[in-house]
Amino acid sequence: MLFPCLLLAICLGSFGCGSDSEKPAVGSITVTDVNGSEQPAIKSLTAGSGTYLDVALTNDTAHLGADWTVICGDALPPGTPLPPGQTVDTSCGSFTPVHTASAPVPSYALNANGIVTYYTAPATPPSSGTVTLYAAASADHSRFSALTLVIAGQPISVGIVASTPPPFTLSTSSTMSLTGTLSNDYTAGGGNISWSLACQSSDCGSLSATTTKSGTAINYTAPANVPMGNTVTVTATSVTNPAVSDSIVITIT
C-alpha cells in the first residue's frame, strides 16, 4: 500500500492535485468603452442606460471565457456559488453578448467584439434599488466576480394634453377635456396626478376630478362669470413628487 500513498504525497506536494490552483480565476469586472479601453469605475446607473464591461480570467486553460448574469439585489456573500442554472433575468437588465472571451482585447484584434459585453439596466429600478452583475468562468461557475450597482430612476415629468390646441380659450360655463400624463413614476400602479385651479376671483370654474391616473381624461368647466384677469390656470401635479407639475392658462370669454 506504500506505492499509492507515495503517489498521493507527490501529487499533493508538487502539483496541488484537485486544488484551487487548477481552477480558473476571475478578475474584477472592469468598466470599458466599446473598444475595451478601461474607464473609471461606477457605482450606479440610470434606469434604461448601460455600460460596457469586460473581465480577465487566468488559468482558463480551455479558453472558455466567462458567462454574464444579473440578479436584482445585493451581491451574494463572498464565496457563495451562483444558483444552479442561473440565467439572465431581463427584469434586472440584460447583457449583449451573454458570453465573452477573457480580456484584455488583443492588440491585433480589429474590434472588441466577443470580449466586451454591454449591460443594459432595467427600464424600471428594481424594488431593492440595486442589481448585481456576475461574470462566471464558463469552465466552472463557482469561480466568479461580482459588481453591485444602484439603479436610479429617470426624473418624473408631468404633461397636460387639452382637447383643443393652444391658445386655450373657453366661453363661460363651457367645458373642455384635459388629460394628464406621467412619465418615470415608478410608484406601484404608476402614480397619480392631482389637479388644481387658480385665478384672481373666488370662482375659477370646476374640475370633474381632482386626482387621476396617468392618461385619464377629466373635464374642466369654466365659471359662469368671467373671472378678474380673464384667465384660469389649470395645474397637474405629481403626487409622488409635488415639486413636479405642468400648467396651462385658459382665457375665459
Side-chain angles (χ1 to χ4, degrees), residues 3-253:
F3 183 65
C5 294
L6 180 60
L7 285 179
L8 179 60
I10 294 173
C11 180
L12 293 175
S14 302
F15 303 101
C17 298
S19 69
D20 282 353
S21 64
E22 292 184 345
K23 295 183 177 182
V26 183
S28 298
I29 295 174
T30 303
V31 177
T32 74
D33 62 15
V34 66
N35 299 312
S37 298
E38 186 173 350
Q39 302 296 303
I42 59 174
K43 294 183 179 180
S44 64
L45 283 174
T46 303
S49 67
T51 183
Y52 289 97
L53 304 164
D54 70 15
V55 69
L57 289 83
T58 56
N59 215 29
D60 184 21
T61 55
H63 303 291
L64 297 180
D67 297 321
W68 295 83
T69 55
V70 57
I71 64 169
C72 294
D74 294 337
L76 298 169
T80 304
L82 289 176
Q86 175 81 5
T87 58
V88 173
D89 182 351
T90 55
S91 68
C92 302
S94 60
F95 295 95
T96 306
V98 296
H99 174 82
T100 60
S102 175
V105 179
S107 57
Y108 56 80
L110 298 177
N111 54 54
N113 291 351
I115 297 174
V116 169
T117 188
Y118 188 80
Y119 169 71
T120 303
T124 300
S127 58
S128 63
T130 61
V131 297
T132 299
L133 319 182
Y134 290 96
S138 300
D140 184 349
H141 275 195
S142 70
R143 315 292 283 185
F144 62 87
S145 186
L147 173 65
T148 298
L149 298 175
V150 173
I151 304 299
Q154 299 277 3
I156 293 175
S157 63
V158 183
I160 298 176
V161 177
S163 56
T164 59
F168 305 112
T169 302
L170 202 60
S171 59
T172 55
S173 301
S174 296
T175 299
M176 70 185 300
S177 176
L178 302 173
T179 302
T181 57
L182 274 171
S183 298
N184 305 318
D185 190 328
Y186 306 109
T187 305
N192 292 318
I193 296 170
S194 65
W195 295 85
S196 62
L197 301 173
C199 66
Q200 297 181 39
S201 298
S202 59
D203 184 7
C204 300
S206 62
L207 296 165
S208 61
T210 56
T211 303
T212 62
K213 292 288 187 183
S214 177
T216 301
I218 63 169
N219 291 323
Y220 166 68
T221 302
N225 300 299
V226 176
M228 187 180 298
N230 301 88
T231 62
V232 173
T233 300
V234 183
T235 300
T237 302
S238 163
V239 173
T240 302
N241 183 358
V244 177
S245 63
D246 187 30
S247 298
I248 63 170
V249 176
I250 304 172
T251 299
I252 309 299
T253 60

